[in-house]
Amino acid sequence: MKEFNLINAPLYGANLIEAGAGTGKTYTIESLFIRLIIEKNFTVDQILVVTFTQAATEELRERIRNKLVKAKEAFAKGESSDGLIDSLCKKYDDHALALDLINRALIDFNEASIFTIHGFCARILSENSFETGTLFDTELVTDQTDLIQEVAEDFWRINLYNAGPEFISYSVKRLKGPEFFSRLLSKQAS
């Protein structure tokens, strides 16, 4: 395993970054975002950031925007207390171009694609309904409990309401209602 060099890491291909809690993953993501803006002239809508939770998404959005503001100030002054931004100031002579790119990123920041995995998948399915064969109003479900209960109750109604009295009696005593099927389905879903 090789140590990740944030200032010189290539901005193409794939890089796997493995790190534990509190090791600077968010700092790394916000820094790579700045590098893509300055070094590759990407616009904010050309960069995709995906994370696990809504809270992490909101934190990333706020921290990336704050990093852009710090970078703007740094390129105006020529230095920064942030190590990465200071390195970028020293690495790139054309501060006017960097300021222009950062300003554009700040102006367009509401278009930044920073999502949870769930949110990103929902967006892709919605935007590509024809290609994926999904309905326009498809909803991704993260908690299937209510859906499983509904399926179990439907199964119970369809198969037991019109069954013979002996089978109904046996089912009520042994299965104790649609919850049996709900538990069975829940085991299969996990």
Side-chain angles (χ1 to χ4, degrees):
M1 188 165 27
K2 198 165 94 175
E3 189 172 322
F4 187 72
N5 183 335
L6 185 54
I7 193 69
N8 294 313
L11 296 176
Y12 56 86
N15 285 299
L16 173 63
I17 302 170
E18 295 180 293
T23 57
K25 290 182 298 297
T26 303
Y27 180 83
T28 300
I29 292 168
E30 66 193 42
S31 298
L32 289 171
F33 195 98
I34 295 289
R35 284 190 58 208
L36 288 168
I37 297 289
I38 295 170
E39 295 178 34
K40 295 293 185 183
N41 296 343
F42 280 14
T43 57
V44 292
D45 63 331
Q46 292 176 304
I47 303 169
L48 173 64
V49 178
V50 180
T51 188
F52 292 100
T53 66
Q54 188 61 41
T57 301
E58 295 306 317
E59 180 185 1
L60 269 169
R61 181 172 295 283
E62 183 178 324
R63 286 190 47 180
I64 290 170
R65 188 176 188 300
N66 289 341
K67 186 80 143 193
L68 285 166
V69 170
K70 284 181 187 176
K72 179 181 174 180
E73 293 168 359
F75 276 95
K77 289 191 313 187
E79 63 181 5
S80 175
S81 59
D82 181 298
L84 177 99
I85 295 174
D86 192 56
S87 295
L88 289 174
C89 283
K90 290 179 174 118
K91 190 174 180 180
Y92 298 101
D93 295 331
D94 195 348
H95 286 205
L97 175 61
L99 274 170
D100 184 50
L101 294 170
I102 294 166
N103 273 327
R104 186 177 59 190
L106 284 166
I107 289 168
D108 296 337
F109 194 72
N110 286 341
E111 297 175 26
S113 298
I114 303 170
F115 297 106
T116 61
I117 294 169
H118 175 85
F120 175 68
C121 291
R123 177 180 173 186
I124 293 302
L125 288 174
S126 173
E127 289 178 357
N128 299 288
S129 293
F130 291 116
E131 294 88 346
T132 60
T134 58
L135 300 173
F136 289 107
D137 61 349
T138 297
E139 178 185 343
L140 293 179
V141 178
T142 55
D143 182 5
Q144 299 179 24
T145 306
D146 292 340
L147 185 59
I148 288 172
Q149 184 63 34
E150 185 179 335
V151 168
E153 289 169 359
D154 286 347
F155 181 83
W156 184 266
R157 272 191 299 278
I158 291 167
N159 292 291
L160 279 105
Y161 281 13
N162 295 322
E166 296 84 15
F167 185 70
I168 292 173
S169 177
Y170 171 80
S171 297
V172 168
K173 287 178 187 171
R174 295 288 288 165
L175 305 179
K176 306 209 185 334
E179 289 73 25
F180 170 83
F181 296 110
S182 179
R183 287 189 303 276
L184 191 63
L185 282 170
S186 294
K187 288 179 186 175
Q188 289 299 318
S190 14

